[in-house]
Structure formats: structure tokens, C-alpha cells
Amino acid sequence: QVQLVESGGGLVQTGGSLRLSCAASGRTFSSYTMGWFRQAPGKERQSVAAVATTWTGTSIYYVDSVKGRFTISRDNAKNTVYLQMNSLKPEDTAVYYCAAGPNRGGRAYSLFEGTVDYWGKGTLVTVSS
């Protein structure tokens, strides 16, 4: 069993930055693909970014709308995954959820193929215009 706890959400102006953190319990954190989803009011949950690591390297995926603005990273020693969000826009307003899924060949995108095993409860990000 893995528990995920997000933090770092809040209210920020357009163009501002926030860093989300997701702390995971359990001793097998490094074996999971980790990522972030978001859900805006009245909309479906959307993939944002994911990161998978293997002994050969790291795979990272971003949805097109956040490329160049968001950076996902993970610290396996601290069982934590981060989402650095820069140049925030009002359309980034959403509840952001941390997710963990099986490592499928080191492919970060696999997290968005219906293979999430664990979810956090979410943290709200509000970007004012």
C-alpha cells in the first residue's frame, strides 16, 4: 500500500510560480512511475506530467499545454515527486492530483494509459488573472 500526500497548492497571480510536492509512503517508491493529473471545475481529469526511472535512465512526459513551463522531478531518497510550475496561466487553475503506477518498461507516458494504482487527495491551484 502506498499513500500519497500533496502539498504546495495555493493562490498565485498570472505569470507566477508554485512548486507542488507529493510525499509517498512505502519502501518501493523508486519502482513506481509517478506523475500529476489535474481537474478543473466542470472538466474531466487531465494528464499533466509523469516521470519513470530505471537503471538505464529517466523518462519524462509532459502534456503539450505545460511544456516549457512545468518541470517534474523526483527524489527517490526522499520518496517525493515535485512539480515546478512557472509562468502560470488562469487555465492552469485546477485541483492537482499526484498518482503512482507500475513502471512499464520505463515509459513515463504509461501512467496516462489507465494504469494508476494510487492517488493522492489533491491540492488546489488557483491562478488569478
Side-chain angles (χ1 to χ4, degrees):
Q1 188 74 10
V2 175
Q3 290 187 325
L4 304 175
V5 179
E6 303 97 335
S7 61
L11 174 64
V12 64
Q13 291 185 333
T14 296
S17 297
L18 284 174
R19 188 175 83 153
L20 305 183
S21 299
C22 172
S25 64
R27 293 176 292 177
T28 59
F29 173 80
S30 62
S31 68
Y32 286 95
T33 295
M34 301 297 299
W36 295 90
F37 292 74
R38 66 185 180 186
Q39 188 166 18
K43 296 189 177 181
E44 294 186 353
R45 191 170 293 186
Q46 175 193 29
S47 58
V48 177
V51 56
T53 57
T54 66
W55 65 276
T56 60
T58 299
S59 167
I60 290 177
Y61 170 83
Y62 297 103
V63 69
D64 285 346
S65 60
V66 308
K67 283 181 181 177
R69 300 188 299 123
F70 290 12
T71 302
I72 189 170
S73 62
R74 64 190 297 166
D75 186 335
N76 288 337
K78 295 183 177 180
N79 282 12
T80 302
V81 62
Y82 305 97
L83 186 68
Q84 178 67 44
M85 305 185 295
N86 299 327
S87 302
L88 282 162
K89 305 174 181 180
E91 51 264 43
D92 294 318
T93 294
V95 177
Y96 284 71
Y97 297 92
C98 180
N103 189 318
R104 295 184 180 273
R107 294 173 52 245
Y109 183 75
S110 67
L111 189 67
F112 306 124
E113 295 176 332
T115 59
V116 174
D117 290 336
Y118 303 102
W119 291 97
K121 293 184 178 181
T123 185
L124 177 62
V125 172
T126 303
V127 184
S128 64
S129 57

